[in-house]
Amino acid sequence: MNATVTDKAVSDVQHGPLLTKADITKSWLIYYMGAEVSNSYERLQSLIFCASMTPVLKKLYPNKEEQAEALKRHLNFFNTEGVMGGIIQGVAIAMEEQKTRGEPITDSSIIGIKTGLMGALAGVGDSIIWAALMPLLIALFIPFAAKGSAMGGIAPLVLYTGITIGISYALCHKGYKLGRESIVTLLQGGKIKELIYGANVLGLIMMGALAASYVKLSTPLKFSFLQGSEVVVQQVLDSIVPGLLPLAAVFAIYLYMLKKGPRYTVILLSVVAFSLVCSITGIL
Amino acid sequence: MSTLMLATLMGLYYWFARLRLGYTFSGMLVQPIVIAVFVGLITGDMQTAMIVGAGIQLVYLGVTSTPGGNVPSDPALAACIALPIAVKTGMDANLAIALAIPFGVIGVFVDQLRRTINAAWVHMADKHAETCNTAGIMRCAFLWPALMGFVIRFPVVFAANYFGQSVVEQFLAFMPRWLTHSFEIMGGILPALGFAITIMVIGKKTLIPYFVAGFFAVLYLKVDIMAVAIFGTCIAFLIRSFGKNEEA
C-alpha cells in the first residue's frame, strides 16, 4: 500500500499530475450527454468526442500549442455507438496520458486506434444496445401500456437509461485501465459474440410473441353453396393454423425488405393502398 | 388544458426529446410509449394515451437508429402529433396510427436538415481548437445545436397540434364506413412492419425459427408476454454453448 502511494508520488513529480477517476468520469458524462446532440453529416460524432476530451486535455497539456494540437486531433472524423463507445474514450484518454508521460505514442496512432475500434464497437453496440435491449424492454412492458398503465412507458425509460448508463460508465473506466490491447482481445474473444447471439434469440422469441398478440388480420369472407352450407374462410384458416394471416403479413414485409432494402415509405404506402382495396372489396 | 398550452407543451417535448440530450435516455424519450406518458399527464387521460401510444409504438418497434445514425422514420414526430389529437378527439387507436404515419416520414426530412446544419458547428469548433477555446467547443457541441433544433423542431409540432385537432374532428365526422374500415385494417397490419424491421435489424436468417416459436407459443399455449420473456431468457442461456459453434 505504502509502496504504491510513494510510487505514485514519485511519478507525479517526474511526469506531472495523473488524471483522477473524476476526470475520466467527467469526460464520459460529456460524451454520454451529447453523443447525438451535435451529430452532423460531415463528421458525425467528432465534435462531441473533442468536447468530451476537453477536461482531460486541459489538464494534460497546460502548454497552449500542444493543447490546440490535441484538440484538433480529436476533431477528426469519429462515429460509433455511444454506449460501447465508452471503451474507445477510455482508451483514448489513457493514450493521451501516456503520451504526456513521454511514451512513444504518435498522433496518428491515437487517431488510428479510435478509427480502428469505432466500427467494430458500433456493430456490437448497435446489435446489443439498440437492436436487442431496447425493443426487448419496450416489448416487456407493452402489455402494461395496452391496458392503459403509465408503467408501460416509465419502466422502459428508467430501466433502459439505467442499464446503459451503467454499462457505458463501466466500459469507459475499463478502457482507461486496460488500454488498447485488451480491447482488441475482448472483441476477438467469444464472449461478445455469445452475448449478441443470446440477446438475438431472446429478442426474436419476444418479437414473435408480440406479433401474435398485436398484428390483427382476419377475413370476413364467406362462401355459400347450393345446399345452404356456408364456409367461413377465417374458420377454415384457424382450423389449419391459427394466426396464419398475421404471420404472413410479417413475413411478406420482411421478405420485401430483404430483397429491396428498408424502404419504409414504400412499404407504408403499400399497406395503405392494400388496406383501402381490401376494405372496399370486403376481402378483409 | 387549452389547445394553445397543449400545442406548446408538445412542441417543447418534441424539441427536447429530439435534442438527444443523454444518449440512451433521449433514445427512449423519442419512443411513442414514453411520449404517451407525457401526453397522459398533460391531457389527464392516461388510459387512452397509453393505449394509443402502445399502438403507435408497435409500428416503430424496430426503428431505433441505423448505422450512421440516420433515422429511417421519426416515431417521435408521429407520436407527438397523433397522440394528443387522438386523445382529444377520442379517436380510435387504429385511426391514430394511420394519422401518425405521414408525420413519421416528415420527421426524417427534419432530421436530415438538422444534421446538415450541424456541420456548421464542427467548422466553428475547428477554429476554437486553434485558440484552445474549450468553452467555445462545448457551446458548439451543445448550445448551438440545441438552439437551432428549437427553431426547426418546435414549430412543426406546435402548428400541427394547434390547428390539427379541429381539422381532424371535421374529417372524422364525414368519414365513410369503407374508409374507417380500411384504417382498421391498416392498424392491424402496420405493427407487422415493426416486427419485420426488428427481424431485419437482428439480421440473422438462421434465427427466424425463434420468432415463429414465440409466435405460436402465444397462440397455442396462451402464455403471456412476461412468461415468454422468462422462458425465452432460459432458452437463450441454454443454447449458448450451442450458439458458440455457429457463426454468430
Side-chain angles (χ1 to χ4, degrees):
Chain A
M1 193 61 192
N2 273 332
T4 50
V5 171
T6 30
D7 278 355
K8 187 181 175 294
V10 168
S11 82
D12 276 5
V13 173
Q14 284 173 339
H15 306 289
L18 279 167
L19 295 172
T20 61
K21 200 173 177 192
D23 294 325
I24 294 148
T25 302
K26 210 168 163 188
S27 270
W28 162 79
L29 188 64
I30 296 174
Y31 180 64
Y32 175 80
M33 290 311 286
E36 287 298 318
V37 175
S38 63
N39 196 316
S40 71
Y41 280 125
E42 195 184 293
R43 260 179 281 165
L44 294 110
Q45 293 178 351
S46 59
L47 178 47
I48 188 60
F49 198 94
C50 176
S52 77
M53 292 294 279
T54 54
V56 168
L57 297 180
K58 270 202 296 204
K59 199 165 179 180
L60 288 176
Y61 300 101
N63 177 314
K64 287 284 167 193
E65 239 164 72
E66 283 175 0
Q67 194 185 109
E69 279 310 307
L71 287 169
K72 280 193 269 181
R73 175 156 72 235
H74 290 289
L75 272 169
N76 260 297
F77 182 89
F78 183 78
N79 193 48
T80 192
E81 194 279 320
V83 176
M84 292 290 160
I87 282 195
I88 304 182
Q89 218 192 355
V91 173
I93 294 171
M95 288 178 82
E96 289 289 356
E97 193 184 35
Q98 285 160 0
K99 188 178 159 72
T100 57
R101 292 158 69 86
E103 287 183 41
I105 289 172
T106 60
D107 294 7
S108 58
S109 73
I110 297 178
I111 296 170
I113 283 291
K114 278 170 64 186
T115 44
L117 287 175
M118 69 185 194
L121 284 169
V124 172
D126 282 342
S127 48
I128 295 180
I129 306 293
W130 295 96
L133 184 62
M134 185 184 229
L136 259 178
L137 285 175
I138 295 176
L140 208 53
F141 292 96
I142 269 197
F144 290 85
K147 284 190 203 106
S149 158
M151 195 44 85
I154 296 168
L157 179 67
V158 172
L159 287 174
Y160 188 64
T161 309
I163 294 170
T164 52
I165 281 186
I167 295 174
S168 73
Y169 174 87
L171 285 179
C172 181
H173 283 284
K174 198 116 194 146
Y176 172 72
K177 272 200 209 93
L178 298 180
R180 61 208 146 138
E181 280 81 14
S182 53
I183 306 304
V184 177
T185 332
L186 184 74
L187 279 173
Q188 284 165 345
K191 275 264 158 38
I192 293 219
K193 277 185 180 174
E194 242 178 63
L195 184 65
I196 296 178
Y197 192 88
N200 285 344
V201 167
L202 178 58
L204 282 171
I205 295 175
M206 291 290 288
M207 292 309 127
L210 278 181
S213 320
Y214 292 104
V215 182
K216 294 191 184 83
L217 211 52
S218 61
T219 172
L221 283 184
K222 286 177 199 165
F223 294 106
S224 303
F225 293 104
L226 284 175
Q227 287 79 12
S229 66
E230 202 175 52
V231 175
V232 181
V233 176
Q234 189 60 47
Q235 274 176 12
V236 176
L237 289 175
D238 285 344
S239 69
I240 306 168
V241 176
L244 213 50
L245 291 178
L247 193 63
V250 174
F251 279 101
I253 297 173
Y254 170 70
L255 290 174
Y256 176 84
M257 284 197 287
L258 212 54
K259 269 218 164 94
K260 307 267 172 155
R263 295 188 191 164
Y264 303 97
T265 314
V266 177
I267 297 169
L268 286 170
L269 290 175
S270 313
V271 172
V272 171
F274 179 80
S275 306
L276 277 170
V277 170
C278 291
S279 169
I280 294 167
T281 55
I283 293 173
L284 292 172
Chain B
M1 180 175 292
S2 71
T3 312
L4 179 69
M5 190 67 183
L6 182 85
T8 309
L9 286 174
M10 287 317 298
L12 286 175
Y13 183 97
Y14 180 61
W15 162 70
F16 181 75
R18 268 276 163 238
L19 178 57
R20 294 299 315 274
L21 193 65
Y23 185 62
T24 48
F25 172 68
S26 59
M28 220 22 138
L29 279 187
V30 299
Q31 300 299 322
I33 215 165
V34 180
I35 297 171
V37 177
F38 183 74
V39 174
L41 284 176
I42 63 172
T43 58
D45 190 352
M46 188 61 80
Q47 177 93 11
T48 315
M50 291 311 294
I51 293 170
V52 177
I56 299 176
Q57 180 69 62
L58 287 164
V59 181
Y60 295 105
L61 195 58
V63 182
T64 48
S65 70
T66 50
N70 295 308
V71 189
S73 191
D74 185 355
L77 187 59
C80 280
I81 293 173
L83 263 172
I85 294 179
V87 173
K88 280 285 185 184
T89 58
M91 190 190 279
D92 167 71
N94 289 321
L95 211 56
I97 294 172
L99 174 69
I101 303 304
F103 294 112
V105 178
I106 294 171
V108 179
F109 300 119
V110 181
D111 203 60
Q112 282 168 351
L113 181 65
R114 170 187 79 106
R115 296 179 72 206
T116 308
I117 302 175
N118 268 353
W121 321 133
V122 192
H123 290 286
M124 215 185 261
D126 284 338
K127 294 207 184 78
H128 289 320
E130 298 278 358
T131 57
C132 292
N133 182 357
T134 49
I137 294 177
M138 288 299 271
R139 279 197 295 275
C140 288
F142 288 95
L143 186 60
W144 309 136
L147 292 178
M148 193 267 306
F150 186 82
V151 175
I152 61 171
R153 303 246 191 227
F154 178 83
V156 184
V157 170
F158 176 82
N161 274 293
Y162 190 68
F163 301 108
Q165 192 183 320
S166 57
V167 176
V168 169
E169 266 168 349
Q170 283 168 5
F171 179 69
L172 286 178
F174 289 105
M175 219 161 44
R177 173 77 190 114
W178 60 266
L179 194 56
T180 23
H181 183 59
S182 73
F183 283 130
E184 285 163 17
I185 298 174
M186 222 181 289
I189 298 177
L190 281 175
L193 176 61
F195 299 116
I197 293 172
T198 314
I199 302 177
M200 188 78 181
V201 173
I202 288 175
K204 289 178 190 125
K205 284 184 217 169
T206 49
L207 296 187
I208 287 177
Y210 289 107
F211 177 89
V212 180
F215 187 87
F216 288 111
V218 168
L219 288 182
Y220 281 115
L221 310 175
K222 315 276 178 221
V223 286
D224 65 18
I225 297 295
M226 203 53 91
V228 175
I230 293 167
F231 289 118
T233 310
C234 295
I235 292 170
F237 273 104
L238 288 173
I239 52 103
R240 221 169 48 156
S241 51
F242 176 69
K244 244 190 281 187
N245 304 326
E246 281 189 37
E247 181 263 333

